[in-house]
């Protein structure tokens, strides 16, 4: 626990004193589950927690654009809240974490004080019965926290580039050989206590650096490389057809008008419709793990995809919990109509006696289902 009473997690760092680098780390499951929880975070949450200075592509500018737009540009007032403070579909698995990355209370929901049974995950949703009243009564999800997803092991080894594996003497000696460490006296062991602020800093470094633990401990400034490879869409995101007129595409084409320089070397701006804006804004709700699943890797600048690969290896994550990290879902109603990345959306929930979750984009009566449904055809 930190000096101000905030909960922390401990991680033992093995440091090369001569070269000022973290060789690897050792910890129990408390730190490992915090690392794996990064994969469940929506992109909008990451940008917000990093103070709109994530330096990941142009996500910061996208987030600021949503902030700057007036509420009249959105389908409903709560739509803006959904984009700036997206909910986490895996929230129930994160309640027992000793360090919380998200500063949003995921157990808090909102209901109408006059009509029982109906609730929303975001405030200011209109009650379908009152019309003039909004759901402003705070309710809590009192369901017991579900089990965390890491396996119950005594220790784990984490490399500087966030590869996670069960600890063993053989693995430690293998790392020593790989790192060409001949002299044991050059290795220093330091126990680092991570609070929420340091954990958020670790996320920022993992997105942009191959050595986030070294950067965190030695407080190295992290900036993205000047040359960043452009992601390539995988084939499973596209419909392969022999003849275009014999099959319908999986997604409707989005049209835009580009204004560019005379020599065609620079796009000045684009004129687009609501479908393209909806697609862009919807990215803020997509979990980090779903981005890696869709593209096969994270940007070559960072190492967050090593966490994704580790979650798919035997020995770290419980089999029944792997899909939470490898294919994280969206909360109810947080999807958009152009589901290009094919991220599944959870069905509406029941919370503490309230059986009908409302759609903040279109507050009409929605009965709770028991199977995942398609993304609703509504606009941000």
């Amino acid at each position: 626990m930190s000096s101000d009473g905030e909960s922390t997690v401990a991680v033992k760092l093995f440091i090369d004193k001569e070269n000022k680098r973290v060789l690897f780390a050792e910890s129990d499951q408390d730190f490992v589950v915090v690392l794996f929880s990064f994969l469940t975070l929506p992109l909008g949450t990451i940008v917000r927690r990093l103070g709109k200075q994530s330096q990941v592509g142009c996500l910061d500018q996208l987030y600021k654009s949503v902030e700057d737009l007036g509420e009249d540009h959105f389908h409903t007032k709560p739509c803006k809240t959904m984009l700036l403070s997206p909910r986490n579909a895996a929230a129930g698995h994160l309640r027992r974490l000793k360090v919380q990355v998200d500063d949003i209370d995921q157990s808090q929901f909102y209901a109408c004080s006059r009509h029982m049974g109906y609730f929303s995950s975001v405030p200011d949703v209109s009650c379908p019965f009152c019309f003039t009243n909004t759901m402003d009564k705070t309710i809590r999800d009192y369901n017991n926290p579900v089990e965390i997803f890491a396996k119950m092991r005594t220790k784990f080894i984490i490399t500087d580039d966030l590869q996670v594996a069960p600890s063993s003497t053989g693995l430690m000696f293998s790392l020593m050989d790989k790192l060409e460490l001949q002299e044991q006296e050059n290795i220093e062991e330091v126990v680092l206590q991570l609070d929420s602020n340091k954990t958020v800093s670790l996320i920022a470094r993992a997105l942009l650096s191959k050595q986030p633990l070294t950067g965190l401990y030695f407080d190295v400034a992290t900036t993205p490389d000047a040359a960043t490879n452009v992601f390539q869409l995988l084939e499973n995101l596209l419909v392969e057809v022999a003849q275009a007129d014999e099959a319908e595409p999986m997604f409707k084409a989005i049209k835009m008008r580009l204004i560019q320089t005379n020599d065609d070397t620079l796009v000045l701006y684009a004129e687009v419709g609501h479908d393209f804006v909806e697609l862009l804004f919807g990215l803020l709700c997509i979990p980090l793990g779903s981005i890696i699943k869709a593209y096969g890797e994270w940007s070559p600048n960072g190492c967050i995809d090593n966490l994704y690969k580790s979650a798919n290896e035997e020995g770290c994550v419980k089999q029944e919990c792997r899909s939470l990290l490898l294919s994280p879902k969206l909360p109810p109603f947080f999807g958009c109509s152009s589901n290009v990345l094919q991220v599944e959306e959870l069905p509406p929930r029941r919370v503490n006696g309230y059986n009908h979750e409302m759609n903040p984009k279109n507050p009409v009566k929605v009965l709770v289902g028991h199977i995942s449904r398609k993304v609703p055809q509504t606009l941000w």
Side-chain angles (χ1 to χ4, degrees):
M1 185 170 291
S2 63
S3 57
D4 59 359
E6 182 182 357
S7 180
T8 61
V9 292
V11 55
K12 182 189 291 184
L13 303 180
F14 292 79
I15 298 172
D16 180 354
K17 295 184 294 183
E18 182 177 352
N19 296 304
K20 291 187 177 181
R21 59 172 178 164
V22 173
L23 302 172
F24 56 89
E26 185 181 53
S27 76
D28 57 19
Q29 69 168 3
D30 290 338
F31 176 62
V32 170
V33 294
V34 171
L35 285 179
F36 283 139
S37 74
F38 295 173
L39 299 174
T40 72
L41 295 175
L43 296 183
T45 298
I46 294 174
V47 173
R48 187 186 73 251
R49 292 294 283 134
L50 295 178
K52 291 166 285 188
Q53 297 180 6
S54 70
Q55 304 182 72
V56 177
C58 52
L59 281 178
D60 298 330
Q61 288 73 22
L62 181 64
Y63 190 94
K64 293 175 184 177
S65 295
V66 175
E67 277 189 323
D68 294 340
L69 280 176
E71 294 174 355
D72 56 325
H73 288 89
F74 297 91
H75 193 66
T76 63
K77 179 180 178 181
C79 287
K80 185 172 182 177
T81 302
M82 296 171 73
L83 295 171
L84 297 178
S85 300
R87 304 284 286 211
N88 190 327
H93 291 264
L94 307 181
R95 294 178 196 167
R96 292 173 58 188
L97 298 187
K98 290 189 176 180
V99 172
Q100 296 290 338
V101 177
D102 195 350
D103 55 356
I104 299 297
D105 186 353
Q106 298 283 339
S107 67
Q108 182 169 300
F109 294 86
Y110 304 89
C112 178
S113 58
R114 297 175 59 185
H115 293 92
M116 294 293 293
Y118 296 85
F119 72 97
S120 171
S121 60
V122 294
D124 299 321
V125 174
S126 299
C127 175
F129 299 100
C130 301
F131 296 105
T132 56
N133 288 351
T134 59
M135 296 185 175
D136 53 5
K137 176 185 176 182
T138 300
I139 60 174
R140 297 281 178 179
D141 182 4
Y142 293 116
N143 293 328
N144 293 326
V146 294
E147 61 182 357
I148 55 180
F149 30 73
K151 289 189 175 181
M152 296 292 293
R153 288 186 177 273
T154 305
K155 296 294 180 182
F156 292 87
I157 293 293
I158 306 99
T159 62
D160 196 9
D161 61 352
L162 301 187
Q163 298 179 57
V164 182
S167 179
S168 68
T169 303
L171 177 59
M172 295 185 72
F173 279 114
S174 176
L175 285 173
M176 296 288 190
D177 291 339
K178 183 178 180 180
L179 296 169
E180 299 180 350
L181 294 172
Q182 306 298 332
E183 302 295 335
Q184 291 288 108
E185 59 267 20
N186 289 332
I187 301 177
E188 179 182 5
E189 297 182 16
V190 176
V191 176
L192 184 64
Q193 297 289 341
L194 271 71
D195 57 13
S196 59
N197 288 333
K198 288 183 179 179
T199 304
V200 170
S201 178
L202 182 60
I203 295 176
R205 298 175 187 280
L207 294 172
L208 301 173
S209 168
K210 297 293 187 183
Q211 296 179 296
L213 292 178
T214 292
L216 181 67
Y217 182 74
F218 290 101
D219 196 22
V220 179
T222 303
T223 56
D225 294 339
T228 302
N229 294 340
V230 178
F231 283 129
Q232 297 292 325
L233 284 177
L234 299 182
E235 292 182 358
N236 63 357
L237 290 180
L238 305 174
V239 178
E240 296 182 356
V241 292
Q243 296 180 351
D245 56 350
E246 293 183 0
E248 294 184 1
M250 187 180 300
F251 309 107
K252 292 183 179 180
I254 296 178
K255 297 181 180 180
M256 63 178 68
R257 182 168 178 257
L258 299 180
I259 310 301
Q260 55 191 34
T261 56
N262 290 331
D263 57 3
D264 296 338
T265 59
L266 181 66
V267 174
L268 301 177
Y269 63 92
E271 295 178 353
V272 301
H274 69 274
D275 50 356
F276 183 71
V277 175
E278 180 188 18
L279 172 63
L280 284 182
F281 284 175
L283 291 175
L284 296 175
C285 298
I286 303 296
L288 183 57
S290 294
I291 297 292
I292 300 174
K293 176 188 176 183
Y295 290 100
E297 64 175 357
W298 183 248
S299 164
N301 295 331
C303 60
I304 201 75
D305 49 342
N306 283 337
L307 282 178
Y308 189 90
K309 295 173 184 176
S310 297
N312 200 28
E313 296 291 335
E314 293 292 336
C316 291
V317 178
K318 299 173 183 177
Q319 182 66 38
E320 62 272 20
C321 295
R322 285 187 182 179
S323 62
L324 292 169
L325 306 176
L326 302 178
S327 185
K329 296 179 174 58
L330 290 165
F333 310 116
F334 275 76
C336 66
S337 58
S338 181
N339 189 17
V340 175
L341 298 182
Q342 304 178 47
V343 183
E344 189 177 357
E345 182 181 319
L346 291 176
R349 299 158 285 194
R350 294 184 176 94
V351 172
N352 194 29
Y354 290 79
N355 296 328
H356 306 300
E357 183 171 7
M358 308 305 299
N359 182 355
K361 302 176 185 177
N362 185 22
V364 295
K365 181 178 179 181
V366 179
L367 296 179
V368 175
H370 297 284
I371 58 174
S372 296
R373 58 186 180 79
K374 294 182 178 179
V375 175
Q377 300 294 319
T378 53
L379 304 178
W380 288 115

